[in-house]
Amino acid sequence: MITIFTSLESDYPLWLQISSVATWITLVLSVAWIVNRSTSKNSEIVRKIVHIGTGNVILLAWLLDIPAILGISASIIASAIALLSYRFPILPGINSVGRKSLGTFFYALSIGILVGCFWYLNQPYYAALGILIMAWGDGFAALIGQRFGKHKYKLFGGQKSWEGSLSMTLTSYVISSLILCSVQGNIWQTWVVALAVAIAATALETFSFLGIDNLTVPLGSAALAFLLNQLLGNG
């Protein structure tokens, strides 16, 4: 674990890494604020803008080789703010005071865990895979399910739609395929692992009690992709 805290070397200067992330987060929150001001009828849209937008920070962290200690520290701070926001109106439009979901907290926590694990293993693309599946897959599943979900089903006490679940599967497959293909090439393992991850992510997303899917989906997807590639001799 020493590598996490001491490896601050990168091809990019620290000021560029931090400013790039800060600029992106500011842009996402600004868009969410504008939408929240213009459409007060559906706060779910605001939450998904932030959900999808902030998840893409993991791409910046990977591509700019941001040190793990920065990602972990940001995760801790974001997790603390998320917990406070459930009691105080810190994140209006994203969390409602008293809202029975810890999704925002789990989301921030999952980023820190994945960065800590896969930066240490020098395989940050697995962290990106897990977070992006949560960001885009779950985000589209919720939006499409609410807008076009006519065929409902109940599982683990929650109601989902087949349209939303199919969107989750397809999005997860595309994301997994693109990331794995970019690092290990166009080989059969890429497509098999991507399909398995997409199915598993969809299954994990169906259980969303208290927003726990924001933790289980990214961690489960990244872990499964890593383990399958190890077993298939492509780790």
Side-chain angles (χ1 to χ4, degrees):
M1 297 296 289
I2 296 177
T3 307
I4 292 179
F5 297 97
T6 60
S7 180
L8 296 175
E9 296 183 1
S10 172
D11 293 333
Y12 301 94
L14 187 61
W15 67 265
L16 177 61
Q17 296 172 328
I18 295 176
S19 62
S20 297
V21 171
T23 299
W24 177 255
I25 293 295
T26 300
L27 177 62
V28 170
L29 294 180
S30 296
V31 172
W33 181 82
I34 293 172
V35 172
N36 187 51
R37 295 275 294 183
S38 61
T39 173
S40 58
K41 295 181 179 180
N42 191 358
S43 60
E44 185 64 21
I45 295 178
V46 176
R47 283 195 289 270
K48 292 311 174 184
I49 289 174
V50 176
H51 180 90
I52 295 173
T54 54
N56 289 289
V57 166
I58 197 68
L59 271 180
L60 289 175
W62 173 24
L63 298 177
L64 295 179
D65 195 21
I66 290 177
I69 184 59
L70 295 183
I72 295 172
S73 299
S75 171
I76 293 173
I77 294 172
S79 297
I81 293 174
L83 287 177
L84 288 173
S85 71
Y86 295 112
R87 295 295 302 274
F88 307 100
I90 299 175
L91 301 173
I94 301 174
N95 289 328
S96 300
V97 176
R99 185 167 177 254
K100 294 181 179 180
S101 173
L102 295 173
T104 306
F105 166 71
F106 288 137
Y107 196 18
L109 180 63
S110 66
I111 292 177
I113 293 174
L114 288 177
V115 168
C117 291
F118 290 108
W119 257 246
Y120 173 68
L121 295 174
N122 198 31
Q123 294 177 314
Y125 42 89
Y126 287 116
L129 181 149
I131 296 301
L132 291 178
I133 283 178
M134 187 65 231
W136 289 95
D138 180 75
F140 276 124
L143 293 175
I144 291 178
Q146 289 179 10
R147 180 66 178 84
F148 303 103
K150 299 184 182 300
H151 302 87
K152 308 290 185 180
Y153 67 92
K154 288 187 176 181
L155 192 64
F156 302 120
Q159 181 172 278
K160 300 287 183 177
S161 72
W162 288 108
E163 291 83 356
S165 294
L166 179 59
S167 174
M168 176 71 180
T169 303
L170 293 176
T171 305
S172 299
Y173 180 73
V174 170
I175 290 172
S176 299
S177 298
L178 289 175
I179 291 179
L180 294 177
C181 192
S182 71
V183 296
Q184 63 191 32
N186 181 16
I187 55 177
W188 69 268
Q189 289 96 329
T190 293
W191 315 112
V192 170
V193 171
L195 180 59
V197 168
I199 294 173
T202 303
L204 290 170
E205 194 269 338
T206 60
F207 183 70
S208 54
F209 179 69
L210 290 179
I212 191 65
D213 56 320
N214 281 7
L215 183 66
T216 58
V217 169
L219 267 59
S221 299
L224 181 61
F226 174 76
L227 290 174
L228 286 179
N229 272 325
Q230 296 298 311
L231 290 175
L232 294 174
N234 202 54

